Amino acid sequence: MSATKIRTSSFSRNFLAANSHQIPGLKHGPNGTMFISSGIPDLDKILGGGFSLGSLVMVMEDAEAPHHMLLLRSFMSQGLVHNQPLLYASPSKEPRQFLGTLPSPAVPKDDKSSHRDPDEEKGLRIAWQYKKYFGENQQSVDRDGKHEFCNEFDLRKPLERKFLSGKCIDCVSIQDSPNLITLHDRCATFLSQFPRSDGSISSVGRIAIQSFCAPQCEYTDMEWDMLSFLRSLRAMVRSSNAVAVVTFPPSLLLPSFSIRWQHMADTLLSVKAIPDEDKEMEKLLTGYQDMVGLLNVHKVAQINTQVPVILEATTYSMKLKRRRFMVLECLNQAPIDGSSGSSYGTSGSCSVSSKTGALDF
């Protein structure tokens, strides 16, 4: 008797990839896409889940303010918190010193109650008896996907040493490099640790390259070599379980090469500083005084699909909540009269008159 075959279709679930949920900082997406967090919860929501695994993310810098560093620091810190290997390339002489500026994850409100004084816990007549059920084992239990996948980082608190010691962190200085051969070899060696050969994922890597065409680099006049490096980096990342984030100042490139660089990116972002005194912008937007910059989403990665991602908006305001936490918000139009009433276009009256009362048709 011949054995019966189980019919499968292209819509069947990939059970080999189902084991990847055990890796912290990895999330399933549509069409078999896997996401890792950008380190900013709002940015993950905007991009539909985070940075797609195997994608090249490029961030266009602003010459007036280093707002791109907020994105880069959050991306690097999130990977170290999830114990993911990191390759960091910088135009500075000592790139490892930059690790001391990485932000620390904020303690969730749920965990604050677990760090009480023993004296206070003894004062609780009933609750203290259940301490053994809510001890250290409680912290190891999986929290909500929001807390486990992406942390909220405190920009005023540096990352603890325990996240930096014993980690697989590789730092490369590209300041004195006459060409890009060394950087290419370091990236190839690093990405060889995360091959995408089978359906299972054992580890995830992150690459962060800061100011790729900075003036202090000796290869800045090699436009075609830099473009060839980005093309090769994108191909290597696509065939590995990793994500590369590259920031660059487009003002230092020729317009034609800047456009070519933008086409190389799977996800393309740009940051822009806001003038301190722009009265016209202040009248036009609400919460203008709390903004530190603008984030533009030019392109979102489309992995395993040809359906474009429809965004709610393409420009978002960058704000610092309590001067500690990075948040992104949609731009809202301010009221016409400058009051705190409803904004323009949301009035419930059908007439032009501003008098209150019955609706005038």
Side-chain angles (χ1 to χ4, degrees):
M1 191 180 209
S2 61
T4 59
K5 276 188 179 179
I6 300 177
R7 297 181 60 185
T8 59
S9 65
S10 59
F11 298 98
S12 61
R13 183 181 176 185
N14 187 359
F15 291 97
L16 294 176
N19 297 328
S20 60
H21 72 280
Q22 301 176 357
I23 303 177
L26 201 61
K27 184 171 67 174
H28 291 271
N31 304 313
T33 306
M34 305 298 296
F35 291 110
I36 64 172
S37 175
S38 63
I40 303 176
D42 293 334
L43 184 57
D44 291 343
K45 295 178 182 178
I46 293 172
L47 299 178
F51 291 152
S52 301
L53 201 63
S55 63
L56 174 62
V57 182
M58 302 190 70
V59 181
M60 293 186 288
E61 305 174 4
D62 187 6
E64 299 181 0
H67 291 328
H68 63 281
M69 301 303 295
L70 298 174
L71 305 179
L72 197 64
R73 286 191 178 99
S74 301
F75 173 76
M76 296 171 61
S77 296
Q78 188 66 75
L80 295 179
V81 170
H82 287 153
N83 197 19
Q84 297 171 351
L86 172 67
L87 173 63
Y88 171 61
S90 170
S92 61
K93 290 185 178 180
E94 298 293 338
R96 188 166 289 274
Q97 295 181 357
F98 180 75
L99 301 178
T101 64
L102 299 181
S104 177
V107 179
K109 295 181 180 180
D110 302 343
D111 295 348
K112 292 183 179 179
S113 59
S114 61
H115 297 286
R116 295 176 179 174
D117 275 348
D119 297 337
E120 295 181 2
E121 293 182 357
K122 289 180 181 179
L124 301 176
R125 297 181 180 179
I126 301 177
W128 71 272
Q129 300 179 7
Y130 299 94
K131 178 183 177 181
K132 60 182 178 180
Y133 300 107
F134 298 96
E136 295 179 357
N137 295 333
Q138 179 66 17
Q139 297 180 3
S140 63
V141 178
D142 293 341
R143 302 186 184 94
D144 296 338
K146 182 173 112 177
H147 297 289
E148 184 176 322
F149 177 72
C150 182
N151 296 92
E152 193 174 17
F153 290 94
D154 189 347
L155 300 178
R156 289 190 174 186
K157 184 179 179 181
L159 192 64
E160 299 179 6
R161 290 182 177 270
K162 65 179 181 179
F163 295 110
L164 301 176
S165 60
K167 306 291 181 179
C168 183
I169 304 176
D170 190 7
C171 297
V172 183
S173 176
I174 57 178
Q175 180 176 0
D176 300 329
S177 300
N179 50 48
L180 294 169
I181 297 178
T182 303
L183 181 60
H184 182 275
D185 294 341
R186 297 287 286 272
C187 292
T189 304
F190 178 80
L191 293 175
S192 63
Q193 307 174 21
F194 320 101
R196 188 178 291 188
S197 56
D198 52 2
S200 61
I201 301 177
S202 58
S203 182
V204 176
R206 298 188 180 218
I207 295 180
I209 301 178
Q210 174 190 348
S211 302
F212 181 56
C213 58
Q216 52 266 41
C217 300
E218 298 182 6
Y219 56 79
T220 52
D221 56 341
M222 305 177 182
E223 291 86 358
W224 290 107
D225 292 345
M226 291 188 291
L227 183 63
S228 177
F229 170 81
L230 292 176
R231 185 182 295 109
S232 178
L233 178 62
R234 180 183 180 183
M236 291 188 297
V237 171
R238 187 60 57 87
S239 60
S240 62
N241 295 318
V243 172
V245 175
V246 180
T247 68
F248 69 97
S251 58
L252 301 180
L253 297 173
L254 295 175
S256 58
F257 279 96
S258 179
I259 295 175
R260 288 188 175 95
W261 283 34
Q262 297 176 29
H263 282 299
M264 286 289 101
D266 296 312
T267 299
L268 181 63
L269 309 173
S270 66
V271 292
K272 184 179 180 182
I274 295 181
D276 295 335
E277 297 181 359
D278 193 343
K279 297 182 179 180
E280 295 182 359
M281 188 74 70
E282 184 176 359
K283 294 179 180 179
L284 188 63
L285 300 176
T286 58
Y288 174 79
Q289 297 178 353
D290 300 331
M291 299 180 187
V292 296
L294 297 176
L295 174 71
N296 296 315
V297 182
H298 302 274
K299 189 195 300 184
V300 180
Q302 302 177 19
I303 306 296
N304 302 332
T305 181
Q306 295 182 351
V307 180
V309 179
I310 307 299
L311 300 176
E312 180 182 356
T314 57
T315 304
Y316 299 86
S317 62
M318 304 170 61
K319 297 182 180 180
L320 295 180
K321 184 175 62 176
R322 291 179 293 181
R323 297 184 179 181
R324 289 179 177 270
F325 309 105
M326 178 77 173
V327 295
L328 301 175
E329 296 180 356
C330 293
L331 299 178
N332 297 321
Q333 188 175 7
I336 299 178
D337 55 356
S339 63
S340 59
S342 59
S343 60
Y344 178 77
T346 61
S347 175
S349 176
C350 297
S351 63
V352 185
S353 175
S354 61
K355 296 181 181 180
T356 61
L359 296 178
D360 185 9
F361 293 94

